[in-house]
Amino acid sequence: MSTLPRTQTRPVPGADERSAPRPRGPAFRPVVDLDSGAVVAVEVVANVPAGLGRPDGRGGGPALVAEWLASLVRAGDGVESQLPLVLPLPSVALADGTGLAGLVESALRRAGRRPRDVTLMLTPDLVELPRATVLTAVAGLRSLGFRCGFGTAMARPDLVVEATPFLIRLDPVLVSGIDGDQRNGGIVDGLARIGRSSGVYAMATGVDRGEEIVRLRECGVRLGCGAFFAGPGWRPGERVNPVPEPAATALDDSDAGPRVTEFMVPPLDFDSESTGEHVMEAFTQDTALNSVVLIDHRERPTGVIDRTRFLLSVTGRYGHALHAKRPALRLAESPRTVPAWMSAISALRVAGQDRERVYDDLIVTNPYGQCVGVVHVSDLIQSLARQ
């Protein structure tokens, strides 16, 4: 039997973007790539039980929070897809330093979810917590593989830069009518710039109209959710409304044609701490492998190892002794990334910008900046030459 408190509930600020009544139990909301219109994550919208997560002196607070989060995951059994989840986390629970991160990890794993698949969206009351508490808690959650989001744009910019959450939520009051409000447009543009400079992704909420999507794109926001995409009864796997096409004047004629994702192959990736011996084994087992991608804890590419240059370094005199037991990142080069929405011809232009690495593989990234695939430049050239 559940031990969750059966008390009155209060809505998560920012979760109920309109006053329409919501059915009991959690609802699901698509998080959409504003460029491609693809659903990249599912946000679980639920009311936080009153008092949940408040330190009670017995260590029960974090345990109840973990159980509640697991119940949200289990509530989606039968309708939830394998897309990443965004779950609400009461910020007040961060104030109880009694193993919140470990309890949440254990509970969600039992519910069938790995930490890397979950973003914990801290409720807006995080702005009331001491700075050190937020930084310590976010670091603890991240160390176990969770991604964290700030559920409000009102957090101090210096806290955002130092804590580097995965997401920051742009409140509906900033998004609504942004296409005609220069003041809110300036705020959103500034927040998006701060985020891009530190690897934080802005997510617009309360998106109602196509015009707002166009303006959000101009501000550099690439993720959004709201009534424009789907109604309150939406379930994972169902369709969402298509996003507006980019204005014809914004595209060059040469950008027409297939997207780079049509030429994408699955990447072989290792974490950034992998040794040269691990990479050597991968190249030995697959003679057709062109490159290995090194990724950080957020699955963002930190380096790429080209087969030919790596083997020249390792198989040379003393090469094995110098590199086998040391981090492979020492032999990696900066990844050349292209977004998944880019056209193949534009990707080919990116490849040609570095004459010394023209034929090196391109790394395809999603709106989160995560590695989703690899493109061989030779495949692009051969395909486009036939057109």
Side-chain angles (χ1 to χ4, degrees):
M1 180 178 295
S2 174
T3 57
L4 293 179
R6 298 181 181 276
T7 56
Q8 293 182 345
T9 59
R10 56 183 172 81
V12 177
D16 189 358
E17 295 169 3
R18 296 294 178 266
S19 58
R22 191 185 302 279
R24 294 186 62 184
F28 303 97
R29 183 162 56 193
V31 178
V32 177
D33 174 0
L34 299 184
D35 284 315
S36 68
V39 179
V40 295
V42 175
E43 182 172 19
V44 181
V45 183
N47 292 327
V48 177
L52 182 65
R54 295 190 179 280
D56 59 6
R58 301 188 304 275
L64 291 178
V65 171
E67 181 185 344
W68 179 65
L69 290 174
S71 73
L72 296 183
V73 174
R74 287 192 292 267
D77 287 350
V79 296
E80 209 281 302
S81 68
Q82 290 305 305
L83 287 167
L85 289 180
V86 180
L87 300 177
L89 177 64
S91 295
V92 68
L94 303 184
D96 191 328
T98 53
L100 173 67
L103 289 169
V104 171
E105 179 196 23
S106 178
L108 293 188
R109 283 190 182 277
R110 290 197 303 271
R113 278 291 180 169
R114 300 172 300 174
R116 63 185 291 181
D117 297 330
V118 175
T119 297
L120 298 171
M121 185 68 76
L122 301 173
T123 51
D125 54 325
L126 73 93
V127 299
E128 303 170 7
L129 297 177
R131 179 191 189 90
T133 298
V134 176
L135 293 176
T136 300
V138 168
L141 291 166
R142 183 182 294 135
S143 69
L144 294 181
F146 289 107
R147 301 184 178 95
C148 292
F150 283 4
T152 176
M154 297 302 106
R156 290 174 48 180
D158 58 331
L159 177 62
V160 174
V161 171
E162 189 169 356
T164 58
F166 188 57
L167 293 174
I168 185 168
R169 181 193 295 275
L170 302 181
D171 304 317
V173 68
L174 292 176
V175 175
S176 179
I178 188 176
D179 52 307
D181 190 329
Q182 293 185 357
R183 295 171 300 177
N184 281 358
I187 294 173
V188 170
D189 182 70
L191 291 170
R193 287 176 182 271
I194 292 172
R196 286 197 302 273
S197 68
S198 53
V200 180
Y201 301 95
M203 182 177 76
T205 57
V207 179
D208 277 345
R209 297 179 297 111
E211 291 81 2
E212 293 168 352
I213 294 176
V214 173
R215 183 70 179 99
L216 287 167
R217 285 172 178 160
E218 294 174 353
C219 293
V221 178
R222 291 294 176 262
L223 298 172
C225 56
F228 175 88
F229 303 106
W234 181 85
R235 289 293 182 270
E238 295 179 354
R239 293 181 179 274
V240 296
N241 294 325
V243 298
E245 291 290 336
T249 56
L251 297 175
D252 189 282
D253 290 339
S254 60
D255 286 335
R259 289 191 175 185
V260 69
T261 48
E262 295 187 21
F263 305 91
M264 189 172 68
V265 297
L268 179 62
D269 50 42
F270 290 95
D271 65 65
S272 297
E273 303 303 319
S274 298
T275 65
E277 194 169 41
H278 294 141
V279 176
M280 181 68 176
E281 183 179 355
F283 283 134
T284 301
Q285 292 179 351
D286 186 353
T287 57
L289 184 64
N290 283 356
S291 62
V292 166
V293 183
L294 301 179
I295 58 174
D296 63 12
H297 67 280
R298 296 186 177 190
E299 300 179 42
R300 299 179 303 185
T302 57
V304 63
I305 299 179
D306 177 76
R307 179 190 188 92
T308 302
R309 290 191 288 274
F310 175 81
L311 293 180
L312 285 174
S313 298
V314 174
T315 58
R317 191 176 185 183
Y318 307 120
H320 189 273
L322 288 172
H323 305 298
K325 301 298 183 181
R326 296 185 181 182
L329 190 60
R330 298 168 63 249
L331 296 176
E333 298 169 285
S334 60
R336 299 192 302 170
T337 61
V338 293
W341 51 263
M342 181 174 279
S343 67
I345 189 65
S346 295
L348 197 57
R349 293 195 199 105
V350 172
Q353 289 175 359
D354 187 343
R355 294 184 178 181
E356 296 182 358
R357 300 177 59 192
V358 170
Y359 292 99
D360 283 12
D361 289 345
L362 299 175
I363 312 303
V364 183
T365 58
N366 66 12
Y368 294 129
Q370 299 166 312
C371 174
V372 295
V374 169
V375 170
H376 304 317
V377 174
S378 58
D379 291 345
L380 292 180
I381 295 173
Q382 291 174 8
S383 176
L384 294 175
R386 291 194 295 265
Q387 295 183 7

